Amino acid sequence: MICVNIKAERFEVLDSLRHKDFEKTYKSMAERVVQYAINYMKTQFADKTVRWERFSWFKLEKVTQPDQISCGMYVIRWMRHWEGKYNSALTKDWKRIDLINEERECLMLDIILDEENLERERIMKEATKYCNMKNKKKELKGRK
């Protein structure tokens, strides 16, 4: 994730995989993304006095995920908690896969149960049917 921190005049790279070759491989791509963001902000929001050429790059080095598949969960957590500086909410117990999976389940339930989810009722019916089927299988297995 790349944050544009106008107050601190820096582009903040949050990379939980800690790519060693960021400078060589990813920085040019990140610079293009940032340039699109700058162009958009110039036309829509940002004060014309922002001196983009003074911005530096900052790469957060303190957070590393314990696996190769949880980067999306880290990005979501960073979007919730990043304030332009390291804080413990970003890393608290996040080396534990069980807590990452718990967060993943909570996010899934938030999406499924949201009133705006057009598929909510259908999914709930399917889930109920699945649970009933699973319970019947357990009952039958218990009778043997």
Side-chain angles (χ1 to χ4, degrees):
M1 183 170 82
I2 302 170
C3 297
V4 178
N5 188 332
I6 293 174
K7 189 175 181 180
E9 294 186 331
R10 65 186 188 186
F11 306 114
E12 299 164 340
V13 178
L14 305 167
D15 177 12
S16 59
L17 287 172
R18 308 246 330 247
H19 289 98
K20 303 254 185 267
D21 57 350
F22 174 77
E23 292 289 327
K24 188 173 80 177
T25 308
Y26 297 102
K27 191 170 181 185
S28 64
M29 179 178 32
E31 287 172 334
R32 284 194 308 272
V33 170
V34 165
Q35 191 56 55
Y36 287 122
I38 289 170
N39 291 342
Y40 181 75
M41 287 186 280
K42 279 181 179 177
T43 60
Q44 300 296 318
F45 305 108
D47 184 338
K48 304 294 184 203
T49 61
V50 174
R51 307 268 316 233
W52 298 106
E53 67 280 357
R54 293 182 1 193
F55 279 49
S56 61
W57 286 84
F58 168 77
K59 192 163 181 249
L60 180 69
E61 297 289 341
K62 294 184 179 186
V63 180
T64 310
Q65 67 191 61
D67 60 18
Q68 295 294 306
I69 61 169
S70 297
C71 39
M73 296 308 300
Y74 277 79
V75 168
I76 290 167
R77 189 157 182 98
W78 283 332
M79 284 191 279
R80 288 184 187 152
H81 298 286
W82 184 250
E83 296 174 344
K85 61 185 184 298
Y86 172 79
N87 68 66
S88 62
L90 295 170
T91 58
K92 187 178 179 184
D93 294 327
W94 267 65
K95 294 281 185 206
R96 292 181 43 199
I97 296 294
D98 61 320
L99 293 176
I100 295 169
N101 287 336
E102 186 178 299
E103 183 86 8
R104 192 177 270 121
E105 290 167 5
C106 289
L107 178 63
M108 177 188 66
L109 288 172
D110 285 346
I111 293 168
I112 290 171
L113 298 176
D114 190 278
E115 291 177 12
E116 298 295 321
N117 180 0
L118 300 176
E119 297 294 318
R120 179 179 181 224
E121 294 306 315
R122 184 187 65 76
I123 292 169
M124 295 297 291
K125 283 178 188 172
E126 290 296 320
T128 303
K129 222 164 55 174
Y130 174 78
C131 288
N132 289 338
M133 181 184 69
K134 205 170 178 183
N135 287 338
K136 283 181 184 176
K137 282 183 180 179
K138 277 184 184 178
E139 280 179 33
L140 290 173
K141 197 174 185 180
R143 290 181 188 171
K144 288 182 180 180

